[in-house]
């Protein structure tokens, strides 16, 4: 960083954590320390000629809030710097990002391949929405490379996947699936919400597009909804995804962009602390007599532990806890907690726990629940920023009383 460009600091030589603090910053002539919040829907021009010029040179100047906003652009550029993306666009929610990333590139007659283990709304987009528009949806067991190989032995336009998945914590072999997908002609869209940009870098394994629910760890403090789409190739982002977003309008509000921009400054610190705490909690639960099984990427007992070590630098803050008892035991445990809050949100600084079978996944049929391993005794825990020992003690007491 050089002193002379304090309004537009160049962060290219900085380490990742520093990029989270300074990346994307564009100071106004007031030289504010904290990034400005441009809470405006439109922009004015000094003359008719200036307006004409702004529209003729698309992208060089802000013209309307649905297309671009200076605060939102700072957020997009900061995340793009950190992730190593050529292009980024923020959206109003994570689902708007999934929808935009997929539907912008698909049309009738195309095939999309995805694992069965997906966040419920992601599953709905592939299973229900795609076929409405003549797009064939093919589901595979995401952990089975031969299933991917078979599904991708025919041409496909897109592969969409989560790794680790919500809430199954299934891990997909990014390098192998990206390779198969590219041979089939598919663009690979990775929902990296559970891993976060801190613990997994999908572009380095061949992904073309990465999306986030910024509602989760990027805000990380339960304040707002948001999402973002990142493309490795700037041209793909600008030519395929951007027109779709610009004309359909899933725009992030400047205020929410400002919250997310500030959330990014502490992202690495929070995620690393929460990930370390989650590992501690997972180790405690794994030996608990009332617990049948704990799924956590960093535990040696995770079925794809070797793959986790290959593509993730930490286990994340999410755990799946399978209790020996069923629904009653799960409910008693939730009701016995004093500090850990019952909530279906995740990635928050507060530890949150939910019973997926009766909340996030309540609309699935019994058959679908069984195949996605949404069992009656399953709890999904999002480990927060409290002292890990307090989380362990709260769970220990609630389990004992359940
Ligand atoms: C929460 C979540 C989403 C959706 O994000 P919203 O911000 O709630 O729209 C998508 N994918 C995964 C994996 C999620 O956990």
């Amino acid at each position: 960083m050089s002193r002379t460009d304090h309004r537009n600091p160049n962060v290219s030589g900085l380490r990742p954590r520093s990029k989270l603090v300074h990346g994307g910053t564009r100071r106004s002539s007031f030289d504010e320390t904290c990034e400005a919040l441009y809470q405006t829907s439109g922009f004015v021009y000094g003359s008719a000629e200036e307006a004409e010029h702004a529209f003729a040179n698309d992208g060089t100047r802000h013209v309307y809030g649905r297309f671009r906003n200076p605060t939102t652009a700072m957020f997009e550029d900061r995340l793009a710097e950190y992730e190593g993306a050529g292009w980024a666009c923020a959206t109003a929610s994570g689902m708007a990002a999934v929808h935009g990333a997929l539907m912008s590139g698909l049309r009738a007659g195309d095939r999309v391949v995805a694992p069965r283990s997906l966040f419920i709304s992601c599953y709905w987009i592939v299973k229900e929405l795609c076929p409405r528009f003549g797009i064939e949806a093919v589901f595979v067991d995401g952990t089975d490379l031969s299933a991917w190989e078979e599904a991708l032995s025919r041409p496909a336009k897109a592969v969409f996947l989560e790794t680790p998945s919500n809430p199954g914590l299934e891990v997909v072999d990014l390098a192998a699936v990206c390779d198969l997908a590219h041979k089939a002609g598919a663009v690979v869209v990775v929902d990296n919400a559970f891993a976060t940009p801190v613990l997994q870098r999908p572009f380095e394994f061949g992904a073309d597009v990465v999306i986030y629910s910024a509602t989760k760890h990027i805000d990380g403090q339960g304040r707002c909804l948001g999402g973002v789409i990142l493309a490795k190739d700037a041209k793909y982002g600008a030519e395929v995804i951007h027109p779709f977003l610009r004309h359909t309008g899933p725009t992030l509000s400047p205020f929410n962009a400002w919250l997310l921009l500030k959330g990014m400054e502490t992202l690495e610190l929070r995620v690393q602390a929460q990930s370390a705490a989650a590992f501690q909690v997972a180790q405690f639960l794994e030996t608990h007599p009332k617990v049948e099984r704990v799924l956590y990427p960093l535990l040696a007992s995770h079925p794809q532990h070797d793959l986790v070590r290959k593509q993730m630098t930490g286990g994340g803050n999410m755990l799946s806890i399978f209790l020996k008892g069923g629904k009653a035991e799960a409910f008693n445990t939730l009701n016995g907690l004093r500090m850990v809050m019952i909530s279906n949100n995740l990635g928050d600084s507060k530890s949150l726990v939910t019973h997926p079978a009766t909340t996030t996944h309540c609309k699935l049929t019994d058959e679908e629940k069984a195949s996605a391993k949404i069992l009656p005794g399953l709890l999904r825990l999002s480990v927060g920023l409290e002292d890990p020992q307090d989380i362990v003690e709260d769970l220990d007491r609630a389990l004992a009383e359940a």
Side-chain angles (χ1 to χ4, degrees):
M1 261 164 83
S2 100
R3 280 264 161 254
T4 53
D5 57 6
H6 72 284
R7 285 195 184 140
N8 296 284
N10 175 5
V11 299
S12 59
L14 296 183
R15 290 173 179 80
R17 191 192 288 182
S18 310
K19 287 184 178 178
L20 286 176
V21 180
H22 293 284
T25 303
R26 280 182 210 84
R27 292 200 162 82
S28 77
S29 56
F30 295 115
D31 293 319
E32 62 282 352
T33 309
C34 174
E35 300 75 1
L37 167 54
Y38 293 94
Q39 188 65 47
T40 180
S41 50
F43 301 86
V44 297
Y45 313 93
S47 65
E49 288 76 11
E50 246 185 55
E52 180 187 36
H53 186 260
F55 275 79
N57 296 277
D58 201 21
T60 58
R61 177 173 172 153
H62 293 281
V63 296
Y64 187 52
R66 175 154 39 80
F67 310 157
R68 224 151 60 96
N69 170 283
T71 306
T72 310
M74 287 193 262
F75 165 57
E76 292 163 345
D77 291 354
R78 183 166 292 181
L79 187 57
E81 284 273 4
Y82 187 67
E83 188 91 42
W87 177 92
C89 190
T91 55
S93 69
M95 285 323 302
V98 174
H99 180 252
L102 274 176
M103 298 314 269
S104 60
L106 291 170
R107 58 209 66 219
D110 287 342
R111 284 175 82 234
V112 53
V113 181
R116 260 173 229 106
S117 183
L118 290 178
F119 176 61
I120 194 75
S121 298
C122 297
Y123 183 69
W124 186 88
I125 287 185
V126 180
K127 171 130 190 293
E128 303 290 335
L129 190 64
C130 283
R132 280 189 207 173
F133 295 92
I135 299 156
E136 187 193 349
V138 180
F139 285 98
V140 296
D141 172 350
T143 65
D144 180 358
L145 265 187
S146 63
W148 282 107
E149 216 166 313
E150 215 224 292
L152 293 168
S153 62
R154 287 196 288 136
K157 193 65 185 289
V159 161
F160 174 75
L161 63 94
E162 292 169 19
T163 181
S165 64
N166 178 3
L169 291 166
E170 283 186 10
V171 177
V172 175
D173 188 331
L174 281 172
V177 170
C178 288
D179 192 41
L180 290 168
H182 291 153
K183 285 181 183 140
V187 165
V188 180
V189 180
V190 175
D191 179 339
N192 204 34
F194 264 37
T196 80
V198 178
L199 303 176
Q200 180 169 266
R201 302 176 62 78
F203 288 138
E204 290 176 6
F205 296 93
D208 303 291
V209 176
V210 173
I211 75 95
Y212 290 100
S213 166
T215 316
K216 313 294 169 54
H217 309 76
I218 292 176
D219 171 45
Q221 289 145 89
R223 303 171 295 188
C224 72
L225 284 133
V228 61
I229 308 176
L230 300 127
K232 184 151 70 182
D233 174 23
K235 194 162 177 275
Y236 186 81
E239 290 179 5
V240 177
I241 308 173
H242 194 247
F244 184 90
L245 298 178
R246 179 183 173 118
H247 296 299
T248 57
T251 315
L252 182 67
S253 82
F255 180 66
N256 289 356
W258 183 82
L259 290 174
L260 297 171
L261 179 65
K262 301 309 287 176
M264 291 209 37
E265 295 179 353
T266 54
L267 179 67
E268 220 178 85
L269 296 176
R270 286 185 286 105
V271 167
Q272 280 167 353
Q274 285 168 271
S275 184
F279 189 33
Q280 197 176 323
V281 173
Q283 285 171 310
F284 158 74
L285 288 171
E286 198 170 37
T287 57
H288 197 284
K290 289 208 171 162
V291 175
E292 172 78 41
R293 180 164 182 236
V294 179
L295 258 185
Y296 181 69
L298 227 54
L299 288 178
S301 58
H302 189 285
Q304 296 143 290
H305 182 68
D306 291 341
L307 188 53
V308 168
R309 293 222 160 258
K310 196 178 115 197
Q311 64 190 32
M312 295 177 75
T313 56
N317 80 314
M318 301 300 300
L319 307 175
S320 287
I321 307 160
F322 296 87
L323 300 178
K324 284 183 182 155
K327 180 181 166 186
E329 188 124 26
F331 272 37
N332 288 341
T333 305
L334 292 185
N335 293 336
L337 290 163
R338 294 182 195 167
M339 182 186 76
V340 177
M341 298 283 151
I342 304 171
S343 171
N344 47 282
N345 199 3
L346 64 94
D348 198 281
S349 49
K350 295 179 171 64
S351 289
L352 305 174
V353 66
T354 190
H355 183 245
T358 53
T359 58
T360 51
H361 289 69
C362 69
K363 300 267 159 54
L364 291 189
T365 64
D366 287 344
E367 206 172 62
E368 285 171 319
K369 280 185 196 169
S371 91
K373 299 183 197 78
I374 310 295
L375 306 179
L378 170 67
L379 296 177
R380 188 195 69 191
L381 175 65
S382 169
V383 173
L385 278 172
E386 305 93 342
D387 188 310
Q389 198 51 38
D390 282 327
I391 304 171
V392 164
E393 283 171 21
D394 202 19
L395 288 164
D396 194 25
R397 186 185 42 242
L399 283 167
E401 291 165 2

